[in-house]
Amino acid sequence: MKPILKIVNTQQSEAFQIMKVNDPYFFPTWHFHPELEIMLVQEGSGIRFVGNSMERFQAGDLVLYGSNIPHLYRSDKEYYQKDTPLVSRATVVYFKENFLGESFWQLPPISPIKKLLALSKRGIKFKGEAKEELQRQVQQLDDQKNSIGRIIDLLSILKIMAETKEYELLLNNAFTKYVSEDECERINKVYQFIIDNYTENPTLERVSEVANMSATAFCRYFKSHTNKTYTQFLNDIKVDNACRLLIDNRLSISQICFETGFNNFTHFNDQFKKITGITPKQYQSSHLNK
């Protein structure tokens, strides 16, 4: 898998670019770009990696990314199967921070949006009623509208984002770490290998080989990029997939334990509760009752 510094064709004559995604799965590569990004998932599910954050995503997921934050949307494995009827759809908006010129951001009425863009360096996930209104407006952004209309629509979206309190920050601190293309290539290989083989419990030594590093060096490297040990990350991947299978409700809880690579039911329960705060049975009941 190639490292990606994603090139966005934001033409000089346009303030921003809208991309409509309609594919079997999302762009499965750890990538970054100097443009800010609004990503609205309209259909599809999987795991979203942002800096050292890892969360599940599904339809309705809406995130604002600051400049150069590495991120990756890894669709669930069924989306990669040949001839799958599943579809992954999204609306993605790319824009540069100074798309209206430097002096525009110095105007006092614009200061809330300026603060929003600064906060976006931590990744912002929107929720609640604000997210519902933002979904509607993002989906209505139209490539065919004249430039002034497009700018007004984008500013309306940024205004809602700047004024709402219905959001979560994905990162504890602003992402300022420089990520080289070599690092992107290495972390791509590691993530892909772990996600593809987590049920087999690959050893630290095996994953270190994939990264072409010694086990000791890999432990330091992996902790610095994910803020987790390799074992913690592996268990997170297992529990995340267990959550999906629990909601799907086609397998018993004991079957899900072994299906996700836990070879001991007590260990499965302990890790699940440690990561989610509740037992697998409680998690399944709470979601099925909704």
Side-chain angles (χ1 to χ4, degrees):
M1 191 178 287
K2 298 288 187 182
I4 295 291
L5 165 58
K6 191 169 182 181
I7 306 300
V8 180
N9 288 324
T10 306
Q11 302 189 19
Q12 295 297 320
S13 60
E14 296 294 337
F16 61 93
Q17 180 184 355
I18 304 167
M19 182 175 73
K20 300 287 187 179
V21 179
N22 191 352
D23 294 306
Y25 50 83
F26 288 118
F27 191 65
T29 304
W30 183 248
H31 66 284
F32 60 98
H33 40 74
E35 294 80 8
L36 288 89
E37 175 183 331
I38 298 169
M39 172 79 169
L40 169 63
V41 176
Q42 294 159 281
E43 195 170 347
S45 63
I47 303 175
R48 169 177 25 81
F49 298 89
V50 183
N52 58 23
S53 164
M54 184 188 83
E55 289 185 351
R56 191 139 194 92
F57 74 84
Q58 58 187 6
D61 191 73
L62 177 61
V63 178
L64 170 63
Y65 298 105
S67 176
N68 290 322
I69 296 181
H71 53 285
L72 157 65
Y73 283 73
R74 175 76 182 193
S75 299
D76 288 327
K77 63 181 181 180
E78 54 264 30
Y79 287 83
Y80 295 90
Q81 294 175 358
K82 188 177 180 181
D83 300 324
T84 177
L86 296 172
V87 175
S88 297
R89 293 192 307 111
T91 297
V92 191
V93 183
Y94 300 103
F95 62 98
K96 295 181 178 178
E97 188 164 348
N98 63 347
F99 73 101
L100 290 176
E102 293 290 345
S103 59
F104 178 80
W105 300 109
Q106 306 309 315
L107 298 173
I110 308 302
S111 61
I113 296 180
K114 187 176 180 180
K115 291 178 182 177
L116 169 76
L117 301 189
L119 195 62
S120 71
K121 296 183 183 298
R122 295 173 64 182
I124 307 173
K125 180 179 72 172
F126 295 92
K127 57 185 182 179
E129 293 181 5
K131 185 184 78 168
E132 292 179 9
E133 177 59 23
L134 287 166
Q135 282 180 279
R136 186 185 68 79
Q137 293 203 24
V138 170
Q139 289 176 129
Q140 288 180 351
L141 279 173
D142 189 353
D143 270 325
Q144 305 306 315
K145 186 177 284 190
N146 64 61
S147 295
I148 294 177
R150 283 159 51 89
I151 292 171
I152 291 172
D153 288 346
L154 179 58
L155 286 175
S156 175
I157 289 168
L158 296 177
K159 179 177 182 292
I160 295 171
M161 290 180 169
E163 292 177 347
T164 184
K165 301 297 183 184
E166 295 182 296
Y167 66 82
E168 294 176 11
L169 297 174
L170 300 179
L171 304 176
N172 292 328
N173 300 295
F175 193 91
T176 56
K177 177 183 172 69
Y178 173 73
V179 181
S180 69
E181 292 192 356
D182 286 342
E183 284 182 291
C184 276
E185 181 176 24
R186 177 174 285 154
I187 204 71
N188 271 329
K189 288 180 178 178
V190 169
Y191 277 173
Q192 182 168 337
F193 179 80
I194 295 172
I195 291 170
D196 288 345
N197 298 280
Y198 72 92
T199 59
E200 299 171 13
N201 292 299
T203 63
L204 173 62
E205 289 70 24
R206 179 70 187 94
V207 181
S208 301
E209 289 176 7
V210 173
N212 196 25
M213 303 173 79
S214 70
T216 302
F218 175 76
C219 285
R220 289 196 299 268
Y221 168 82
F222 194 77
K223 185 71 180 286
S224 71
H225 279 77
T226 65
N227 207 29
K228 297 176 183 179
T229 66
Y230 166 62
T231 301
Q232 288 172 328
F233 184 85
L234 180 62
N235 284 331
D236 279 350
I237 294 291
K238 291 180 180 180
V239 169
D240 177 84
N241 281 279
C243 290
R244 185 167 57 91
L245 293 173
L246 286 165
I247 295 172
D248 191 46
N249 198 27
R250 295 183 183 181
L251 301 175
S252 68
I253 294 178
S254 60
Q255 287 175 311
I256 291 171
C257 163
F258 294 101
E259 183 75 16
T260 52
F262 288 100
N263 298 320
N264 180 290
F265 192 70
T266 300
H267 182 56
F268 169 59
N269 271 298
D270 289 345
Q271 289 300 315
F272 194 98
K273 188 170 184 179
K274 181 179 179 180
I275 291 170
T276 67
I278 55 178
T279 66
K281 182 66 175 176
Q282 290 170 328
Y283 181 90
Q284 186 179 55
S285 297
S286 66
H287 282 77
L288 294 183
N289 287 339
K290 293 179 182 178

